[in-house]
Amino acid sequence: MKSGPRVERFFCEGCGLCARLCPYGAIRMEETVSGEWFVSGTRRGSFVHARLGVAQGNSGRLVAQIRRAAERIAEEEKLEYVVIDGPPGIGCPVIASLSGVDCALVVTEPSLSGLHDARRVIETAAHFAIPVKLAVNKYDLNPEMSVEIEDFCRGKGIQFVGRIPFDPAVVEALSAGRNVIDSGNSPAGDEIRKIWELLIR
Ligand code: SF4
């Protein structure tokens, strides 16, 4: 007996494309709650974030919702920038994070898998004509690989904006409930400040 196409619910991201394309109208989308989003106040301004429900690993729609909220707050408060912390990979939430941004900063780690993942997200950004800059985190854990990543950037015409060293000050700041930027000078914090200056130039 032949069986027709079947939706694997754990892989479905709820994008709705199949319902839109099905010539027989055989697929119906239903609204479900995949997570909740919040606006929190921080020392650095408003922070819009979300918590996904159990087994709701992917939700481009939730990312889009968060972005709309952040953009509305930025307009109301006349802020110059909205910074989006995108997820790893190249799935639906990454595309929802990338679409329409002025610039994407790829932060990778000095390993073969780091370079591989960076390559994939750079190709995704190129597909949407988004300018990309790249920084290496904990570069001193593998300096040779960091050089290889820098060479890769040169070869692709990607601006290399910084090398963040491994720095215990990051963990100390996080354990104290702060970020490394608000914790005075430190090798990692100073490099992140330099990267920010290069990003907004
Ligand atoms: S909603 Fe999107 S991810 Fe889910 S089955 Fe349809 S096309 Fe695939």
Side-chain angles (χ1 to χ4, degrees):
M1 196 173 80
K2 275 192 186 170
S3 66
R6 199 165 52 92
V7 173
E8 199 52 71
R9 60 191 284 260
F10 288 116
F11 293 122
C12 173
E13 297 187 357
C15 70
L17 186 66
C18 54
R20 187 171 290 191
L21 296 185
C22 176
Y24 304 103
I27 300 169
R28 191 182 70 234
M29 301 301 292
E30 284 179 9
E31 293 283 323
T32 58
V33 177
S34 59
E36 291 177 305
W37 63 277
F38 313 86
V39 181
S40 305
T42 75
R43 276 185 295 241
R44 297 267 165 184
S46 299
F47 176 45
V48 189
H49 54 111
R51 187 183 297 135
L52 283 167
V54 175
Q56 301 285 347
N58 286 303
S59 179
R61 281 185 73 183
L62 189 57
V63 175
Q65 172 89 41
I66 288 170
R67 285 192 56 178
R68 274 197 298 277
E71 280 157 21
R72 184 174 39 75
I73 291 169
E75 270 170 32
E76 284 167 6
E77 297 181 8
K78 301 198 181 344
L79 303 175
E80 223 174 330
Y81 301 105
V82 173
V83 178
I84 302 164
D85 182 15
I90 54 165
C92 220
V94 174
I95 291 166
S97 311
L98 276 176
S99 64
V101 300
D102 297 315
C103 173
L105 171 66
V106 175
V107 181
T108 191
E109 294 196 350
S111 64
L112 261 186
S113 64
L115 177 56
H116 172 78
D117 291 351
R119 242 192 210 124
R120 291 202 315 159
V121 76
I122 287 165
E123 282 163 11
T124 308
H127 179 78
F128 294 103
I130 295 165
V132 172
K133 302 183 184 203
L134 187 141
V136 177
N137 190 23
K138 302 181 196 156
Y139 83 94
D140 44 353
L141 296 186
N142 189 342
E144 295 80 24
M145 196 64 205
S146 295
V147 170
E148 197 173 314
I149 293 172
E150 279 185 55
D151 288 344
F152 162 77
C153 288
R154 252 190 302 278
K156 292 275 180 196
I158 293 165
Q159 189 186 357
F160 186 85
V161 288
R163 296 173 203 93
I164 304 164
F166 174 77
D167 186 353
V170 175
V171 181
E172 280 161 25
L174 291 177
S175 318
R178 293 193 306 267
N179 67 62
V180 73
I181 300 296
D182 287 333
S183 307
N185 282 33
S186 64
D190 295 348
E191 187 66 11
I192 293 169
R193 283 189 197 91
K194 264 197 267 167
I195 292 172
W196 174 251
E197 292 303 323
L198 286 171
L199 274 183
I200 60 174
R201 221 178 248 177

